[in-house]
Amino acid sequence: KIFRRTAEAIFNRNTHYYSHNLKKQTTSPTQKFNQKQTRKPITMTDAHNSQSILLIGATGRSGQKILHQLLINPTKPKIHVFCRNSSKLDPDYQKRCSTIIQGDARSVTDIERAVSVSDADTIIVAIGNGDKLGKTDTRTANAKAVATVMQQPGMEHVKAVVLSSTGAGSNDIIVGFGIGKLIEYQLRHILKDHDGQESAFLDSGLADRTVIIRPTSLTDGKANGKFVEFDDKVKSPTIHIDRGDVAVYAVQQACSSSFHGKTVNITGEK
């Protein structure tokens, strides 16, 4: 029972998408870019006159929280959303975004188009694969596409903030009585996908331009603005962190004037 409850709790943080039953709007501010567009060069000067942030995965539970934090951030960045289906976005959020770009998160062409349209200098990746525990490469494929675009000429200024997971990369899930190892086995396919996600950035020479965030098990409705960082090979101080607090941390990193690449494990404060 302990393993089952803990495994379910850890798994909950891997859910990045949820469905809304919203009525289809007869008129919408959503801007769809379904045709291939001519890419215009992005210079360092142009990109940083006003920060422009591209959010990938805004329709998921974590993505919605991040979008909310971006909208209330005092730096007032230009917010651009990339998603597969814009009808899942809150209509009010749609109105407040600069652009909403629909496309395939696995596609280099679509990601390149989104970065060009938005003139993004920061990309926040909050993509997932629902509640599925089976084999998946959704996160890895998206990360490879984003990393490929970031390595292109003229994209040297583009940074990334990526939501990964506790247990990914060099981090271990440490829970008493060896339960952590059982959880890692239960989540092996998801963690493998997160491993691929992290490697896509770190093995492409983008470590100094990428912040990878590994939260512990996610909760909802318990945000208190408090979180702590912890090392890879130690037991986390707690096993939960609220999505709202992860969103605050992610947006702080994205909007920081002193951005520097790092991989960090975070959890809620006791």
Side-chain angles (χ1 to χ4, degrees), residues 13-14 125 127 137-144 146-147 150-151 160-172 190-215 232 262-266:
R13 66 94 25 232
N14 292 281
V125 178
I127 196 168
D137 67 345
T138 299
R139 302 168 185 84
T140 300
N142 167 253
K144 288 180 177 179
V146 173
M150 289 176 65
Q151 293 176 84
V161 175
V162 182
L163 290 194
S164 182
S165 171
T166 185
S170 56
N171 177 245
D172 293 327
I190 294 172
L191 294 178
K192 181 178 180 181
D193 195 21
H194 277 299
D195 287 344
Q197 179 188 47
E198 294 188 8
S199 295
F201 292 98
L202 300 180
D203 296 345
S204 300
L206 299 172
D208 61 333
R209 289 196 274 146
T210 304
V211 170
I212 295 174
I213 304 171
R214 298 174 181 154
D232 281 344
K262 61 181 178 180
T263 299
V264 58
N265 310 300
I266 64 171

Side-chain angles (χ1 to χ4, degrees), residues 15-20 58-62 64 88:
T15 303
H16 291 298
Y17 286 100
Y18 75 116
S19 295
H20 286 298
T59 57
R61 282 180 286 181
S62 295
Q64 290 275 9
K88 293 182 179 180

Side-chain angles (χ1 to χ4, degrees), residues 57-230:
T59 57
R61 282 180 286 181
S62 295
Q64 290 275 9
K65 297 291 187 181
I66 291 172
L67 180 53
H68 173 72
Q69 288 298 323
L70 286 170
L71 289 169
I72 65 173
N73 190 272
T75 64
K76 299 186 182 303
K78 294 179 181 177
I79 304 165
H80 310 269
V81 167
F82 180 92
C83 59
R84 184 175 50 197
N85 184 356
S86 63
S87 67
K88 293 182 179 180
L89 280 173
D90 185 299
D92 181 58
Y93 285 175
Q94 291 190 35
K95 295 175 184 177
R96 298 168 66 186
C97 292
S98 295
T99 55
I100 299 174
I101 307 163
Q102 294 190 158
D104 180 1
R106 295 168 169 264
S107 167
V108 173
T109 300
D110 284 2
I111 296 296
E112 181 181 9
R113 172 169 52 86
V115 173
S116 179
V117 166
S118 63
D119 279 359
D121 50 85
T122 305
I123 302 171
I124 300 179
V125 178
I127 196 168
N129 196 41
D131 296 325
K132 299 175 183 177
L133 283 172
K135 292 182 179 180
T136 177
D137 67 345
T138 299
R139 302 168 185 84
T140 300
N142 167 253
K144 288 180 177 179
V146 173
T148 297
V149 172
M150 289 176 65
Q151 293 176 84
Q152 293 178 0
M155 297 290 184
E156 294 85 359
H157 64 286
V158 178
K159 308 177 292 291
V161 175
V162 182
L163 290 194
S164 182
S165 171
T166 185
S170 56
N171 177 245
D172 293 327
I173 299 176
I174 302 177
V175 182
F177 306 105
I179 294 174
K181 292 299 180 183
L182 294 175
I183 295 172
E184 287 179 347
Y185 179 78
Q186 179 78 0
L187 303 177
R188 62 192 183 281
H189 298 307
I190 294 172
L191 294 178
K192 181 178 180 181
D193 195 21
H194 277 299
D195 287 344
Q197 179 188 47
E198 294 188 8
S199 295
F201 292 98
L202 300 180
D203 296 345
S204 300
L206 299 172
D208 61 333
R209 289 196 274 146
T210 304
V211 170
I212 295 174
I213 304 171
R214 298 174 181 154
T216 51
S217 174
L218 294 186
T219 60
D220 290 293
K222 299 180 180 180
N224 59 13
K226 298 179 181 180
F227 37 77
V228 294
E229 301 179 359
F230 63 97

